[in-house]
Amino acid sequence: MKFPGGREFYPDAVYVHPAMVLWIGVDDTDSLRGMCTTFLATEFVRELTRDLDLIGYPRLVRLNPNIPWKTRGNGAIAMAVGRGRGQPAVAGHIDGKEIRVYPHGDPGGEPATVLARLAPLVERWSDLAQEGTDPGLVVLSRKPSPGLYWKAVRRIVSKAEARRALWGLGVVRTWKGGRGIIGASAACAWRPRDRTWEVLAYRPRSQWGTPRSVDPDSVRSMDHRFPSTFNNYDVENGRVVIAPRTPCPVLLGIRGDRPEELPRAFRQVRGEAADRWLVFLTNQGTDDHVGHLPTPSPWTAGRFRGIVDRSPRTLPGGHVVFGLNGWDVTVYEPAKQFRDIARDLVPGDAVEILGSVRHQPRTINAEKLHVIALARLRVKVANPICPRCGDRTKSMGNGAPFRCPRCRTRLDRDAATYRPFARSLRTGWYEPPEGSRRHLSKPLKRGLPE
């Protein structure tokens, strides 16, 4: 779509006055053994578009990935509904019906009525029997403050804080412990600074929990044909990244910067037929979870700059640990080839780490690494010649002076002949391969960290 004058426009609800539509948020309906909150979003869309319109794309909002009690990607859902205005865009296909999103909206529906329509869907599709599944559903006539989102994506928000942020904005429903109210309200509070989109395709229910059929060659071809997409195929490890490995309803998800290209990219992938698909506006691939400064607090992410002060070592299990300004920095085994970059560091290298602070053991979990400057290394070519008698000196031990075997003259280590040692590591930014990145981590192909 274009604004007058040619500026690109995507109907992502950023341009909608927040008091004109209803905002719906839901979270914590899935579990480690199955289901998916985004699938519940498709059920919400199917129900609500019987008589209301989607204003902007539905939203998949990832929150703090370091929360220890999260399930999988810690994603919540939000969407706006009302009476659509403007030229719509096709954003999905459910039950043979095109799902359209509108760039503007007028009021439509009452919060209590909409909540009453959606609550049975939460109860039907949530994994309520599973411990830790604690759904929360909100229907709001106004958005919460954006500060709620930023705290939820970078730190920890309590249920009491979420309830205070929702006071007077609409209606709320919780089940069991009701922790899902935090993600539901934070998703509604998100006002994008940076954004991406993801088309998610879902399997027929009869196939949930069975092996997926997604053709790797078609994924590689799609990846080349649509350069605005990212994290599709892990070339270094020969793995399809767009298809999850869990028993959830998702067949595949393709992420990118141009929402109008995602349905076309999806149609390029060969494999089993999808039951439905829907495009979401997301904060994935934005680094929203990373603060601008170093952070000492567990379960938070920041930027750490300094000098390598301890050589890398490989632990049992394949994790690589090195020292930075007194911190342990860890690159874990699932990061695969990213560990090789860490192994090439030496004391004296100047680096910057984007990473999260782990509670136990206390360490920085590196998500991206910036080699700012390399320490100069040298290799000894020959021991020095004794200036008194002309004999070749001998080393007195590791780090010790040299000594002439004839006259016993001692010379410092710097008196030896050295040559520079060429290093394979180069300055610049490094990241894990596609299959090892967090949902929120910004791929370098989207631009260097600011």
Side-chain angles (χ1 to χ4, degrees):
M1 291 184 184
K2 301 276 186 180
F3 275 131
R7 183 161 65 91
E8 290 184 347
F9 164 66
Y10 299 124
D12 58 9
V14 174
Y15 310 98
V16 178
H17 191 282
M20 297 181 69
V21 297
L22 292 182
W23 285 91
I24 300 160
V26 65
D27 190 25
D28 213 359
T29 65
D30 60 353
S31 73
L32 293 174
R33 69 180 185 183
M35 244 308 281
C36 174
T37 303
T38 66
F39 177 82
L40 179 60
T42 68
E43 291 292 303
F44 279 13
V45 168
R46 175 162 61 177
E47 168 62 28
L48 294 174
T49 53
R50 297 178 191 275
D51 55 345
L52 296 171
D53 298 315
L54 282 176
I55 314 303
Y57 288 93
R59 299 177 168 206
L60 168 55
V61 183
R62 302 284 181 182
L63 302 174
N64 190 341
N66 305 298
I67 297 295
W69 50 82
K70 66 182 175 67
T71 53
R72 297 198 295 270
N74 202 18
I77 295 297
M79 63 185 70
V81 296
R83 308 296 180 188
R85 288 189 292 109
Q87 181 65 37
V90 175
H93 205 270
I94 300 175
D95 288 348
K97 173 187 173 183
E98 280 189 348
I99 303 301
R100 298 173 180 271
V101 294
Y102 290 81
H104 305 284
D106 293 324
E110 293 295 328
T113 302
V114 170
L115 185 138
R117 294 170 64 180
L118 299 181
L121 295 176
V122 175
E123 294 171 354
R124 177 183 177 186
W125 293 108
S126 298
D127 194 1
L128 293 173
Q130 186 72 2
E131 182 180 356
T133 300
D134 300 292
L137 172 65
V138 303
V139 182
L140 312 176
S141 55
R142 287 188 295 123
K143 290 166 66 70
S145 165
L148 179 65
Y149 163 73
W150 287 107
K151 185 170 184 181
V153 79
R154 291 184 175 175
R155 292 188 286 166
I156 296 176
V157 175
S158 69
K159 287 189 293 183
E161 287 177 289
R163 286 191 176 276
R164 285 195 298 270
L166 295 173
W167 183 259
L169 302 184
V171 293
V172 177
R173 175 74 188 276
T174 61
W175 289 260
K176 297 173 62 180
R179 192 164 58 207
I181 192 177
I182 301 170
S185 56
C188 291
W190 178 45
R191 290 170 173 82
R193 295 178 184 173
D194 187 12
R195 74 208 69 184
T196 61
W197 285 262
E198 181 173 14
V199 57
L200 282 163
Y202 301 87
R203 315 178 76 191
R205 193 172 185 186
S206 61
Q207 294 180 256
W208 293 6
T210 65
R212 292 170 176 83
S213 175
V214 177
D215 177 61
D217 289 338
S218 67
V219 176
R220 288 194 293 268
S221 176
M222 178 273 292
D223 184 58
H224 290 294
R225 184 171 179 179
F226 295 93
S228 66
T229 64
F230 58 89
N231 291 356
N232 297 316
Y233 190 83
D234 185 343
V235 176
E236 292 181 280
N237 297 289
R239 182 164 80 85
V240 170
V241 178
I242 63 173
R245 296 182 173 183
T246 63
C248 71
V250 174
L251 171 61
L252 58 84
I254 303 172
R255 302 169 187 177
D257 286 308
R258 302 186 65 86
E260 78 280 7
E261 290 188 352
L262 292 178
R264 299 204 304 269
F266 162 53
R267 288 191 285 270
Q268 293 296 310
V269 178
R270 297 188 299 272
E272 66 183 75
D275 175 70
R276 63 183 74 178
W277 60 270
L278 189 62
V279 176
F280 291 84
L281 173 71
T282 89
N283 63 343
Q284 297 173 145
T286 64
D287 275 344
D288 271 4
H289 66 302
V290 180
H292 300 296
L293 300 172
T295 170
S297 303
W299 308 320
T300 62
R303 301 174 71 132
F304 304 81
R305 179 178 289 202
I307 304 299
V308 175
D309 54 19
R310 276 177 285 116
S311 297
R313 65 188 191 278
T314 301
L315 304 181
H319 313 315
V320 177
V321 180
F322 63 92
L324 180 72
N325 291 0
W327 279 89
D328 276 345
V329 179
T330 305
V331 181
Y332 291 96
E333 188 280 331
K336 303 303 179 185
Q337 290 81 0
F338 189 44
R339 295 173 298 165
D340 296 335
I341 305 303
R343 290 189 181 104
D344 284 343
L345 295 171
V346 300
D349 288 342
V351 301
E352 180 180 14
I353 303 294
L354 269 65
S356 303
V357 178
R358 181 170 176 168
H359 181 52
Q360 288 293 338
R362 194 63 169 270
T363 184
I364 300 169
N365 177 6
E367 298 177 23
K368 277 192 280 288
L369 190 155
H370 180 198
V371 179
I372 300 170
L374 294 170
R376 293 184 178 181
L377 299 184
R378 58 184 186 173
V379 177
K380 187 183 73 173
V381 176
N383 291 355
I385 301 294
C386 177
R388 296 181 62 184
C389 62
D391 273 10
R392 181 77 65 181
T393 59
K394 294 184 178 181
S395 174
M396 297 177 65
N398 186 27
F402 297 99
R403 185 172 61 188
C404 177
R406 176 181 295 184
C407 67
R408 320 300 283 180
T409 297
R410 296 191 180 194
L411 299 176
D412 292 338
R413 301 296 297 183
D414 286 341
T417 302
Y418 294 92
R419 63 173 174 82
F421 177 77
R423 300 180 62 183
S424 59
L425 187 62
R426 297 291 182 263
T427 58
W429 282 94
Y430 295 90
E431 64 184 347
E434 289 86 342
S436 304
R437 299 171 191 165
R438 283 182 147 172
H439 295 293
L440 278 165
S441 291
K442 182 178 180 179
L444 295 178
K445 72 174 291 186
R446 295 199 67 236
L448 298 180
E450 297 177 357

